């Protein structure tokens, strides 16, 4: 039916226009809500002035922070300059520490070399050297004792006397040789003395090894003391530098306070709520703007056959029945097209 088709077309056109307008309105509302939320969440630092300094923040034309700085109090700045001078002297002192502790390093090297000499021999070799040395010392006195003993025996007429000899032992080993009582006592004393030297020689060898190791340990301690002294020489410089850092931290307090206050001023929750609420309101308004009651009524009426027949009879009373043909309407068809803007 022609009037039903015309109603559907006109209703759809009007509904499309309403939907287009609603979409634009919704997009503008969402953009505005996003802009308001971003503005609410923007970081806004605050300039702070304290006894120790003052903070400054620079912002661009769009309101964003582009720079931050702080100014130290003049008194603290003067203190820093004085500490800076002391730090320079402390650093010069540290540079001289290597030369000052050089004797410790030289002494350590000497002890290292001496200790290595003592450790070059094993305890057994050191023991043998000890025995040889002791026998060299005892040899002159033993020779004098032997000469005196032989002279005494000759003066008493007993130079050739020899007693105390024994035969071969059951195992076949040789027995004791014959000797005078004086010579026997002499040789027994020497044997006893040599046994004592052997015991002392083993102890002396062990002592020599321990002494060499001790020299190495002492040299290591001297070397460590030299390094520790050089490290400790940096103490004054580090102390002065720490004081300058502490003064600098006092001057930075206004900057930190300004940043913290600006961060607390950021309302992330409010911006999210604003964005969510704005989006919801935009969707609600969009749905309301998209609804066109006239277009809906026109489309619904176009589906009613009685309505379309009555409308056709109203504009074309010459028709004898339901209006079913739009071909050759002439002026009536033109009138209908102008009426509905088709």
């Amino acid at each position: 039916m022609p009037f039903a088709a015309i109603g559907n077309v006109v209703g759809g056109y009007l509904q499309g226009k309403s939907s287009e307008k609603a979409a634009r309105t919704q997009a503008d509302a969402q953009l505005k809500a996003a802009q308001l939320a971003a503005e609410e969440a923007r970081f806004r630092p605050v300039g702070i002035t304290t006894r120790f300094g003052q903070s400054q923040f620079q912002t661009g034309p769009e309101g964003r922070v582009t720079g931050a700085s702080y100014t130290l109090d003049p008194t603290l700045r003067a203190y820093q300059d004085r500490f800076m001078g002391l730090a320079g002297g402390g650093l010069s002192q540290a540079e001289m520490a290597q030369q000052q502790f050089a004797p410790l390093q030289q002494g350590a090297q000497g002890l290292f070399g001496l200790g290595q000499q003592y450790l070059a021999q094993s305890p057994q070799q050191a023991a043998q050297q000890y025995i040889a040395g002791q026998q060299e010392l005892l040899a002159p006195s033993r020779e004098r004792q032997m000469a005196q003993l032989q002279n005494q025996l000759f003066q008493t007429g007993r130079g050739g006397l020899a007693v105390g000899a024994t035969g071969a032992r059951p195992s076949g080993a040789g027995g004791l040789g014959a000797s005078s009582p004086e010579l026997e006592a002499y040789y027994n004393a020497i044997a006893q003395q040599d046994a004592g030297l052997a015991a002392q020689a083993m102890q002396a060898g062990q002592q020599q090894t321990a002494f060499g190791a001790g020299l190495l340990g002492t040299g290591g301690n001297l070397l460590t003391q030299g390094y520790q002294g050089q490290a400790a020489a940096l103490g004054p410089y580090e102390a002065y530098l720490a004081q300058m850092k502490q003064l600098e931290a006092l001057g930075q307090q206004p900057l930190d306070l300004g940043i913290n206050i600006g961060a607390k001023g950021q309302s992330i929750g409010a911006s999210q709520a604003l964005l969510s609420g704005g989006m919801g309101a935009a969707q609600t308004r969009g749905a309301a703007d998209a609804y066109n009651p006239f277009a809906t009524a026109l489309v619904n009426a176009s589906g009613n056959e009685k309505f379309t027949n009555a409308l056709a009879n109203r504009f074309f009373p010459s028709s004898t029945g339901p209006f079913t043909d739009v071909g050759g309407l002439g002026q009536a068809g033109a009138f209908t097209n102008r009426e509905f803007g088709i």
Side-chain angles (χ1 to χ4, degrees), residues 233-325:
L234 286 172
Y237 168 74
E238 292 176 348
Y240 302 142
L241 187 61
Q243 292 298 323
M244 287 189 292
K245 290 180 178 179
Q246 185 175 358
L247 293 175
E248 195 71 16
L250 292 176
Q252 289 176 353
Q253 285 183 357
L255 182 63
D256 296 336
L257 289 174
I259 294 175
N260 292 334
I261 293 176
K264 291 179 180 179
Q266 287 182 284
S267 182
I268 303 300
S271 64
Q272 292 178 349
L274 181 61
L275 179 60
S276 177
M279 293 297 182
Q283 293 175 357
T284 302
R285 181 175 178 180
D289 291 341
Y291 175 68
N292 191 325
F294 178 73
T296 302
L298 184 59
V299 172
N300 293 335
S302 299
N304 190 329
E305 185 176 357
K306 294 181 178 181
F307 174 77
T308 56
N309 289 334
L311 187 62
N313 294 329
R314 169 68 177 81
F315 286 97
F316 306 100
S318 61
S319 300
T320 57
F323 190 82
T324 59
D325 187 9

Side-chain angles (χ1 to χ4, degrees), residues 27-260:
D28 292 340
Q30 290 178 349
L31 178 60
K32 184 63 175 179
Q35 291 174 347
L36 292 175
E39 182 66 24
E40 185 67 24
R42 178 171 294 178
F43 174 62
R44 299 180 179 89
V46 179
I48 300 294
T49 300
T50 66
R51 175 63 182 83
F52 306 109
Q54 183 179 10
S55 62
Q56 301 89 22
F57 295 92
Q58 295 79 38
T59 56
E62 64 280 359
R64 292 185 176 87
V65 178
T66 59
S69 60
Y70 66 94
T71 303
L72 192 64
D73 181 78
T75 303
L76 297 185
R77 181 73 182 200
Y79 291 162
Q80 269 194 335
D81 294 339
R82 293 171 63 182
F83 278 120
M84 184 69 73
L86 293 174
L91 187 59
S92 299
Q93 180 179 351
E95 292 173 346
M96 297 172 56
Q98 185 176 5
Q99 182 180 359
Q100 292 174 346
F101 289 96
L104 290 180
Q105 296 180 354
Q106 296 173 359
Q109 295 298 330
L111 290 176
F112 288 155
L114 186 59
Q116 290 174 354
Q117 292 179 7
Y118 276 95
L119 293 177
Q121 289 182 326
S122 65
Q124 292 79 9
Q125 292 174 342
Q128 294 175 358
Q129 183 178 358
Y130 175 82
I131 291 177
Q134 293 296 320
Q135 287 180 346
E136 287 289 335
L137 292 175
L138 294 174
S141 61
R142 288 179 177 181
E143 291 175 357
R144 285 194 297 270
Q145 289 176 0
M146 173 59 72
Q148 292 176 358
L149 181 59
Q150 289 177 346
N151 184 36
Q152 181 181 358
L153 292 175
F154 178 78
Q155 294 293 334
T156 58
R158 293 184 294 115
L161 181 62
V163 297
T166 61
R169 297 183 179 181
S171 62
L176 298 177
S179 176
S180 65
E182 291 81 355
L183 288 176
E184 184 177 3
Y186 171 76
Y187 286 118
N188 287 338
I190 290 178
Q192 188 68 25
Q193 193 176 34
D194 288 341
L197 289 177
Q200 294 176 2
M202 182 58 66
Q203 184 178 3
Q206 295 174 354
Q207 290 177 350
Q208 177 173 321
T209 301
F211 182 69
L215 291 177
L216 293 179
T218 303
N221 292 335
L222 290 179
L223 195 61
T224 301
Q225 290 177 7
Y227 292 147
Q228 290 177 348
Q230 294 181 36
L234 286 172
Y237 168 74
E238 292 176 348
Y240 302 142
L241 187 61
Q243 292 298 323
M244 287 189 292
K245 290 180 178 179
Q246 185 175 358
L247 293 175
E248 195 71 16
L250 292 176
Q252 289 176 353
Q253 285 183 357
L255 182 63
D256 296 336
L257 289 174
I259 294 175
N260 292 334

